[in-house]
């Protein structure tokens, strides 16, 4: 039996959860980057609205930012996984890693989400 198996298993489950979340963030970034094309083609036919895309670059930049954030999440997850695995095997007591990076990533995602909401809410203009 592996020594401290349950701790190592919990560490691995946490790591895999971070990786799944990062993949979802990157996929959402790809979707956001390509969403302008969907709006341009489908919105007039589905809702009778015309498009007013003030800055199509914003969608592209936001999508790329989400892809970069997802990639950073994977890198941080790998580092935390390795450090935690090392600390589990160590006989010394270690303090917690803190949550500054987690909070910073969450705040960045909230800011990107709010910016995308305002961008998309202004993208469709009702035709009279």
């Amino acid at each position: 039996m592996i020594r401290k198996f349950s701790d190592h298993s919990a560490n691995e489950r946490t790591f895999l959860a971070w990786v799944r979340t990062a993949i979802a963030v990157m996929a959402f970034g790809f979707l956001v980057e390509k969403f302008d094309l969907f709006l341009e083609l489908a919105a007039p036919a589905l809702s009778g609205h015309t498009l007013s895309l003030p800055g199509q670059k914003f969608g592209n930049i936001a999508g790329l930012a989400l892809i970069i954030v997802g990639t950073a999440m994977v890198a941080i997850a790998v580092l935390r996984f390795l450090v935690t695995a090392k600390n589990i095997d160590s006989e010394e007591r270690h303090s917690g890693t803190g949550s500054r990076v987690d909070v910073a990533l969450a705040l960045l995602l909230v800011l990107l989400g709010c910016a995308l909401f305002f961008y998309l809410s202004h993208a469709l203009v009702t035709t009279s």
Side-chain angles (χ1 to χ4, degrees):
M1 189 70 175
I2 298 172
R3 202 182 101 171
K4 297 183 181 180
F5 177 76
S6 62
D7 292 336
H8 284 291
S9 295
N11 186 31
E12 186 173 351
R13 285 189 301 271
T14 303
F15 169 69
L16 294 174
W18 273 98
V19 170
R20 282 190 304 271
T21 303
I23 290 170
V25 169
M26 287 187 276
F28 184 64
F30 181 78
L31 176 76
V32 165
E33 188 175 2
K34 300 299 178 191
F35 194 65
D36 285 339
L37 179 63
F38 170 75
L39 285 177
E40 190 175 317
L41 296 175
L46 294 175
S47 64
H49 293 84
T50 58
L51 280 179
S52 170
L53 293 174
Q56 189 173 5
K57 288 184 179 182
F58 178 77
N60 295 339
I61 291 170
L64 290 174
L66 285 166
I67 292 169
I68 290 169
V69 167
T71 305
M73 287 174 72
V74 171
I76 291 167
V78 167
L79 291 174
R80 290 182 75 166
F81 174 75
L82 294 174
V83 168
T84 303
K86 182 181 172 185
N87 289 343
I88 289 170
D89 289 333
S90 173
E91 295 298 325
E92 301 172 16
R93 292 183 60 90
H94 298 278
S95 61
T97 59
S99 59
R100 288 186 186 142
V101 174
D102 302 340
V103 171
L105 284 173
L107 286 175
L108 183 59
L109 289 173
V110 167
L111 289 173
L112 280 169
C114 290
L116 285 170
F117 171 78
F118 288 118
Y119 171 69
L120 292 176
S121 67
H122 288 78
L124 295 175
V125 176
T126 308
T127 57
S128 308

